[in-house]
Amino acid sequence: MKVPFSWLKEYVDIQVTAEELQEKLFSCGFEVEELIHLGGEISKVVVAEVTECEKVEGTHLYICQVNCGEYGEKIQIVTGAPNVYVGMHTPAALDGATLPGGVKIAAKPLKGIPSNGMMCSGEELGLNEDLYPGAEEYGLLDLPAETVPGTDIRDVVGLNDYIFDISVTANRPDCQSVLGIAREVAAVLGCELKMPATDYTVSDVTVPDLEIRVDAPDLCPRYLGHAVRNITVQESPRWMRRNLALCGLRSISNVVDITNYVLLEIGQPMHAFDMDQLQERKIIVRRAKDGEKIQTLDEKEFTLNPENLVICDGNRPVALAGIMGGLNSEITEKTTQLLFEAAKFARDNVRRTSRALGQSSDSSARFEKGISEYTTELGMARALHLIQELKCGEITASAFDCSAGAPREGKRFTASLRRINEILGIEVPAEEVLKILKRLNFEVIRDGDRLDVTAPRYREDIEVGEPDLAEEVIREYGYHHVVPTFLKSATVTSGGKTPEQLRRDRVARVMCAQGYNEVCTLSFYSESDLDLLKIPENAPERNVLRIRNPISVNLSVMRTLLAPSMLNIVVENLKKGNHEGRIFEISHVYLPGENGQMPEEKLHLGFAAFGDEEDFFTVKGSVEALGNVLGLRFAVERAEDVSYLHPGIAAYILCEGERIGVFGKLANEVTAELKLHKDSKANHKIFLGEIDYERMIAHAAVSVRYQPVSAYPPVIRDLALTVQEETTCGALMNEIIRACPSVSQVELFDLYRGEQIGEGKKSMAFKITFMPGDKALAPEDVDRFIKKILGNLKFKLGAEIR
């Protein structure tokens, strides 16, 4: 939010520099993102009086002699401006001067005529008509005759000012205005705050048949309306136009400028309706009807639904509540009577409507953080005062206050001085605490240790209790007073990570060793991400937790699996030209609880690999490497029912017979919907995997024990089997390992199909490694193992030795 230094000085007698005030604001919790010096780039530009002016024949140029006071009383400058004349006072950039944008001015001939500078227009000084009258006229800026030659131009045109660009946090909506910041400045400097004038006189005239009604009090707890007649639409005074311009707003007309001025000064968004454009002289605040339309002031049309709050006349919406007025009731030069609106709208509803429609404004930004009912009253009073001050209308007696029980006083509660100091961990003198709270407009009555506190009405962020008061005290008292101390319940520990944290780090190191980069993704995504992966409607992954107030529709549900998050990262890399890579993440998925229970958070390990060099076996090797480090033996079985994986290139991960995860190549139909650029360098081979981390760790040994390598050599036997065509290699390998504990490794080395085997069958040959224990394996031992393996294979898979 931009706050001009000169505007702040209208409310507080500030005796420090802008730089010092910046530091003080930071010390009390307000970050000044940028301190902008309006004329900071301008140097050696002064007021010049034209004493002589001679036209150069055959050109558009004039040779001028100018008086620049202490810089020289007779300086020659050549100009092509058509409005130059003898006696004119105008800005002159002398030799060595700097203009906005870093433009350097040097003495040099113009058409062979020596020129020791340049006389300037308002545009060349970065001015517009609102900042200084005549700035946008063609030619030189014509200054008043009383300006003294040699005076720094910044002092003359008001460019010797500063703009504070302040980041106002969401918990301080009362500071979304110049007045709100002025309150904080007055408190931190210990100065008196001068409130803006809010007095006005009401005539005896009423507007017949005018009616205001709120049909949705839950979304609009306070709505004020006041009718003004005999409107004279004209230009605003210079002081108002300047303040608006310093905050980045152009002047439109006096009436519209008043609403913008109150928005910036008081923090209350306001709107003015042309009453002659209202049907039936009614204002009704209600939910929109499904399919109802409105065209806003920026000429955009929106289709509404009952989630949107609208301001209507007798038949149609005339404003989108909290966001923008309608084009059908805007103030024009023909407006003769208007209705001022000041309201408090539910901030969550304004936020949802703004996000859903993609329509935001300065008003919606303030309503989203919150507007107090006190600000609503103050804003209306200030607007009516300005109507009379600018003499542009008559304030009628037709005033409306529709309230859903909004409070008329600040929050009342009791607090303890001892408890405030315990929270801060230091001893702040009681008198200092009372002074600080008084400067911040808290009403405090002390009775020993007890404080009876009434918060200001505009401080709706204050919660009942000592923590908020402690925060208010310390930010004014100074954080430098805080000294490091132990909490009463604190104990000295050796520190370090828990066994679970160490185990997770170990898993991460294994993945990194396999060439994977760790990523960190958001815990939510959109249901459209599940649609992309073809997740069935009745699948458990569709049972999601929905975000009540999502940042956007793309982040509306808590994730139930990591695959969409992994795929989104892969797609981003492919679109940016990164055609290969490996990523992983150890993070939570969120499963809804039953019967109102809290959601269950489960750790999953998600991983992805993409690029020409990746295939099913490279990813399988990564999974096996992870199992080896954890002391686990992973087996795989074909996975044909995972919606987002290719049915022929996907496998479930088994540990001691339990499915703990899945991995495989992304299904072709999913890849086709990604709309990736068809680059000859990338075939878009994407592999996704996900492991239930907690199930995996449950199988892992708590500690790793050393097991000596056998002193005896392993025995290797080849085994050729005939099986049905549909029998998978993984199933055979799993059964071989399960049948004999002495089997340390199984490798497929031959696959044969032909007439000798028979139709519908295939031959698979495996190399089986038997690892001896504390004694050498005799031939009869190995024969016994083979016999057991063949028996199991025949019984479970119908395999025959070839």
Side-chain angles (χ1 to χ4, degrees), residues 55-62 111 113:
K55 185 173 177 57
V56 180
E57 293 297 330
T59 72
H60 68 289
L61 301 178
Y62 295 86
K111 295 288 186 180
I113 306 170

Side-chain angles (χ1 to χ4, degrees), residues 231-250:
I231 293 296
T232 304
V233 178
Q234 56 190 15
E235 186 178 75
S236 298
R238 182 188 171 191
W239 59 267
M240 177 175 283
R241 294 164 58 199
R242 173 177 167 77
N243 282 342
L244 290 174
L246 290 175
C247 293
L249 295 181
R250 291 300 301 261

